Amino acid sequence: MLRSLFASKSIALTVKDYAIRCLTYTPSGGVSSTYEHLLPNGIVENGQILDKPALLSHLVKCVGKVKGRRKRASFFVPDAIVIVRSITIPLDIQPDEFRGYILLELGVTIHLPFEDPVFDYHLVASDGDKQHVLLFAAPRDVVQDYSDLCKDAGLKPVVADISALSLQRFSSVQDRSSFEGHTLLLQANLVANTVSFFQDAHLVFMRHMKSTLQPIDWEAIQVEREILYRCKRDEGALQMDWRQLTEELSRVLNYYRYTLHKGEVEVDRILVSGDHPDLPDIISAIQARFDQMTVLPINSQSREELSGKHHIIPVRFHELMGVPLRGGQPHVD
């Protein structure tokens, strides 16, 4: 989690290139409602806001629908701009001095593809004379744009979070063993995929990959509080997209195993989530390619456990379900 803002709870939201999704929850972590709002093409692209007035107008509508005005909000930093780095810090640097040390080393021994980052860090282990720390960073101006957007829409932004970390929190509540050892988490979305590697529940590596499909390849229909998606391309285009995804997964798996870990580790499982409407077919394609590995939809069992009398949490909202977990296990009010 990026701690550039103070922590609180009330609304969790994510802005995709094609939709805004909101989840409202109580101080106890109870999920009150979900809402999804269609975004026209050209407003957000690859996480970057291209048309701020238009995006604000749509977010104001969402805030009105969920009665969120003046409530506290947590938002996701777009996956495409998040950087995860493993760094080492001398043993004589105390944890309360980490932030100052990192600031001094930025651009010297710690190199990021952007200037003026907002960042967070997590101490993983110490050995010898070094402390092993995970650094999470994003461009400050983009994070500030989303924070300002929330303020202008009448929300009180308090937390900037990372979707993969939120999904991991949610999954681990459903199954404590789901992120033991080395786990690959795939977030398969309409126009992009995010691959995250976890080692014993610690996020250690991320890669954002564009799909062969674009927003114009999808037909989206707003139906009350949710959106239905249908691909306008033929089955061959979808299968080509799945093949590219499995090839990218193969390359990134090899990089993780052999470049980062010198062939000394094996990935225990692939967990899959996301908003792609053909998620079951994607999982089948991945399982066929990696038949020696366990490939599972993340928290498929959560559908029943998180169902109220009149409310079921769709899979595409699962990444938001990890936000209220800072206060305990989520449930549906």
Side-chain angles (χ1 to χ4, degrees):
M1 173 177 58
L2 301 178
R3 296 181 299 185
S4 58
L5 306 168
F6 298 105
S8 186
K9 309 180 185 73
S10 190
I11 295 175
L13 68 91
T14 182
V15 179
K16 306 291 187 183
D17 289 5
Y18 41 84
I20 299 172
R21 296 193 183 106
C22 302
L23 181 146
T24 64
Y25 55 95
T26 64
S28 65
V31 177
S32 301
S33 66
T34 59
Y35 178 71
E36 189 172 16
H37 179 84
L38 181 64
L39 280 182
N41 294 336
I43 295 179
V44 180
E45 185 176 317
N46 210 28
Q48 300 280 347
I49 302 173
L50 303 183
D51 190 335
K52 293 180 183 180
L55 182 56
L56 175 59
S57 176
H58 286 279
L59 183 57
V60 167
K61 293 177 183 177
C62 293
V63 172
K65 286 287 187 179
V66 301
K67 298 179 173 60
R69 188 164 178 80
R70 292 187 294 276
K71 291 185 179 179
R72 296 177 178 181
S74 303
F75 63 91
F76 287 150
V77 179
D79 293 343
I81 67 168
V82 175
I83 298 294
V84 181
R85 289 278 192 275
S86 178
I87 63 173
T88 57
I89 294 179
L91 201 59
D92 59 351
I93 303 296
Q94 300 301 309
D96 61 357
E97 300 173 321
F98 282 4
R99 185 166 294 274
Y101 175 85
I102 293 170
L103 284 170
L104 287 173
E105 293 300 317
L106 282 172
V108 182
T109 61
I110 301 173
H111 299 283
L112 298 173
F114 42 78
E115 297 181 357
D116 192 22
V118 56
F119 64 87
D120 195 9
Y121 51 85
H122 177 72
L123 176 62
V124 177
S126 300
D127 61 63
D129 60 349
K130 295 179 180 179
Q131 301 176 89
H132 298 274
V133 174
L134 292 172
L135 177 67
F136 310 101
R140 184 179 300 275
D141 58 344
V142 179
V143 177
Q144 191 63 52
D145 280 346
Y146 279 94
S147 177
D148 291 343
L149 180 76
C150 290
K151 291 177 184 177
D152 292 342
L155 299 170
K156 297 179 180 179
V158 291
V159 171
D161 207 347
I162 295 173
S163 65
L165 291 176
S166 183
L167 257 177
Q168 182 272 326
R169 288 194 296 268
F170 175 57
S171 179
S172 294
V173 164
Q174 307 302 314
D175 180 359
R176 291 182 180 273
S177 66
S178 61
F179 280 83
E180 290 179 354
H182 294 266
T183 302
L184 186 159
L185 170 63
L186 169 65
Q187 293 166 264
N189 295 320
L190 290 184
V191 297
N193 304 289
T194 300
V195 176
S196 306
F197 286 90
F198 288 79
Q199 182 174 352
D200 294 326
H202 296 302
L203 176 61
V204 295
F205 179 78
M206 280 184 70
R207 178 165 293 177
H208 184 73
M209 305 179 300
K210 287 188 177 181
S211 166
T212 60
L213 301 176
Q214 301 301 315
I216 59 173
D217 295 321
W218 293 94
E219 179 183 19
I221 304 171
Q222 184 90 39
V223 180
E224 296 183 350
R225 301 174 70 86
E226 296 182 12
I227 300 172
L228 301 179
Y229 296 99
R230 185 184 68 83
C231 186
K232 294 187 289 186
R233 303 280 297 277
D234 58 24
E235 186 67 20
L238 279 172
Q239 291 181 356
M240 182 178 71
D241 190 56
W242 302 340
R243 284 196 298 272
Q244 176 179 291
L245 173 57
T246 57
E247 290 170 2
E248 290 284 353
L249 283 180
S250 181
R251 282 192 286 269
V252 76
L253 271 166
N254 287 336
Y255 176 80
Y256 183 79
R257 288 186 293 196
Y258 300 112
T259 301
L260 295 184
H261 293 282
K262 313 301 181 185
E264 297 174 356
V265 306
E266 289 294 332
V267 174
D268 298 284
R269 66 193 65 82
I270 298 176
L271 300 180
V272 184
S273 188
D275 63 24
H276 200 292
D278 299 317
L279 210 57
D281 294 321
I282 291 174
I283 292 171
S284 296
I286 294 171
Q287 184 65 83
R289 176 66 179 266
F290 305 102
D291 58 353
Q292 301 301 313
M293 299 181 65
T294 300
V295 182
L296 296 170
I298 197 167
N299 295 304
S300 58
Q301 75 275 25
S302 67
R303 186 175 180 86
E304 180 178 352
E305 294 174 9
L306 296 174
S307 300
K309 285 185 178 179
H310 306 292
H311 198 93
I312 295 176
I313 305 297
V315 172
R316 59 186 176 278
F317 285 93
H318 281 182
E319 63 181 14
L320 290 169
M321 291 291 288
V323 174
L325 277 171
R326 295 186 187 89
Q329 181 173 353
H331 53 275
V332 177
D333 288 342

